[in-house]
Every structure is written in C-alpha cells, then in structure tokens.
Amino acid sequence: MALAEAGGRGRLLRWPRVLLFGDSITEYSFQENGWGAYLAERLVRKCDVVNRGISGYNTRWAKLILPRLITGSTGADSIAAVTIFFGANDSALKELNPKQHVPLEEYAANLKSMVQYLKSVDITADKIILITPPPLQESAWEKACLAKGDKLNRCNATTGQYAQACVRVARECGTDVLDLWSLMQKNQDFSSYLSDGLHLSAKGNSFVAAQLWSRLENKLSALPSLLPYWRDVDHANPEASLL
C-alpha cells in the first residue's frame, strides 16, 4: 500500500521512443553488435528504442501495420524518431519471388503513404528517416538461395532502382534519408558489409549504426537523461529527488 501511495504522488515516467520499423534487417538489429542494439545503448535513460522489424515483409504489408503501431491517441507525442527501412523484399524479382515483390512505383507510393500517415498523427518530417536497402552481393545471395532449393531471386541493379526511389520519396516528403545502397558501394568491395549477400554482417551493422547515429545525434542530443544521477539523489529525502 505504501508503495502504491508513493507511486501515486509522482508523475508517470514516460520515456521518449525511437521506433525502428522495417524488415529482417531491422528485426535482426538487436542481435549482438547489431545496429539497433548500438542505438539502444547510446540512448539508454534518454529513449526507449523499439524494434518493430518484421522479417520478410514489404511496404505493401508495412503500410497496413503502421497505423496499428502508432496512433494519435496512443503516444505519437512521445515519438522522438522513426526509421522506415524497407526495400530488400520489395525489390525481389517478380518472376522468381512474386509473394514479396512490390512494383517500383507502388513501393515509392507506399513509402510516401507511410510518411504522410506519420505526419497526420503529428510526427514531423524532421523525426523521420528513410533507409534504402543495402546493395545485394549476388554470388553470396545465390548460394543462400541454392541452399534452400531456390534460384537467385534478386539482383543488385534492381535493388539500386528501389534505393533511388526511396531517396526521391525522402526528398519529396522533406525527410532525412540514409542511402545505404550508395554509401556501401563507395567501398569497392562491399561484400564485407553483408553476411549472406543480403543481410548485414558485423561490419555492416557497425556501418549502419555509425551512419544512423550521425543523423540521430543532432535530433536527440537535447533530450535529458531521465531521473537524476545516483550521487545527486537526496539520500535523506529521496522523494524530493525522485517524485
């Protein structure tokens, strides 16, 4: 009872949230040394970093889910940043992977629709970061496909078209963009960024973490650490510091 009474006297503590929305490259980002885990560590006591990566999904499905993750009545005001990271599945070749494939024009329209939805619940463009799919290392991904009894179902040139569309949508909508497809290929041999030709390796995760942090740091640097440092708590009267 005393605990309940004490809890009733203080304001509810609400951490701001950084929402990571994407496919498997986002879902896996909380694995050891993953780029999402890196962000969570950098933002501890400032933000909750929420992983909403859904392996295998494309933008056609994602745009249906987004309103179930964020609504104007369920804390959109607490969103500090959102990343939208799709395209690796949308860009699958239609004739070989029709279930995940989304036509290029529809992919762009879906991204724009998601940005417009976020704006409609008062998440401003400066809080949104679009991320392009990384480049595809075809020989490595072909091995992964063959191991499952499939043919190579993606190609890097096609992935690049989707990456360019993502960049265009960001420009049209006024959001930030992280163009992984271009940035990773500045290093001639980009294969070291990928574990299987499609998903990120440890080096790739470090690269994404550094690139994304350089964009998020300015947006989030003004956020305070929540709750006082332990040495600053009034030990004789902790309620004065903590409630």
Side-chain angles (χ1 to χ4, degrees):
M1 182 64 70
L3 186 61
E5 289 170 357
R9 291 205 302 271
R11 290 178 296 110
L12 180 66
L13 281 169
R14 292 183 65 195
W15 263 243
R17 292 178 292 155
V18 174
L19 181 72
L20 310 181
F21 188 40
D23 53 35
S24 57
I25 302 175
T26 298
E27 181 175 328
Y28 301 162
S29 73
F30 270 32
Q31 294 179 349
E32 186 176 4
N33 298 317
W35 60 270
Y38 173 90
L39 294 179
E41 183 179 5
R42 294 300 296 260
L43 292 169
V44 70
R45 288 186 59 184
K46 288 177 175 280
C47 290
D48 283 336
V49 178
V50 181
N51 186 335
R52 292 294 179 265
I54 309 162
S55 178
Y57 274 50
N58 56 32
T59 56
R60 182 181 292 164
W61 304 340
K63 75 172 185 178
L64 300 176
I65 298 165
L66 185 59
R68 300 179 64 194
L69 300 179
I70 302 173
T71 69
S73 62
T74 57
D77 59 328
S78 70
I79 294 288
V82 179
T83 61
I84 300 177
F85 190 177
F86 289 94
N89 298 315
D90 299 71
S91 60
L93 302 175
K94 181 179 181 181
E95 61 275 16
L96 293 170
N97 190 347
K99 184 164 186 176
Q100 290 179 300
H101 169 80
V102 171
L104 183 62
E105 297 77 14
E106 184 189 343
Y107 168 73
N110 290 341
L111 285 179
K112 187 173 290 188
S113 174
M114 286 190 274
V115 172
Q116 289 171 341
Y117 173 75
L118 291 174
K119 289 180 178 179
S120 77
V121 293
D122 298 325
I123 296 171
T124 52
D126 62 302
K127 294 182 177 180
I128 302 168
I129 303 175
L130 300 187
I131 306 176
T132 77
L136 182 83
Q137 216 289 319
E138 292 175 16
S139 60
W141 185 242
E142 184 172 28
K143 288 180 184 175
C145 291
L146 290 172
K148 299 175 184 176
D150 298 327
K151 296 179 180 178
L152 177 65
N153 56 21
R154 290 162 169 80
C155 74
N156 192 40
T158 302
T159 303
Q161 294 174 351
Y162 284 71
Q164 290 163 13
C166 180
V167 171
R168 284 196 301 273
V169 170
R171 185 164 55 240
E172 292 167 8
C173 294
T175 72
D176 204 345
V177 65
L178 174 51
D179 183 2
L180 290 180
W181 191 85
S182 297
L183 288 169
M184 284 184 168
Q185 290 184 95
K186 284 185 177 179
N187 175 352
Q188 227 173 4
D189 180 17
F190 64 87
S191 62
S192 62
Y193 290 128
L194 305 167
S195 62
D196 58 4
L198 176 70
H199 300 97
L200 300 175
S201 65
K203 182 178 178 182
N205 272 284
S206 294
F207 183 84
V208 172
Q211 293 289 333
L212 196 50
W213 182 247
S214 72
R215 289 158 173 78
L216 283 172
E217 188 173 16
N218 288 339
K219 300 177 192 296
L220 304 178
S221 59
L223 291 173
S225 287
L226 293 162
L227 295 173
Y229 181 54
W230 72 270
R231 291 187 187 279
D232 297 329
V233 174
D234 182 348
H235 67 281
N237 183 19
E239 290 87 352
S241 302
L242 302 177
L243 295 180

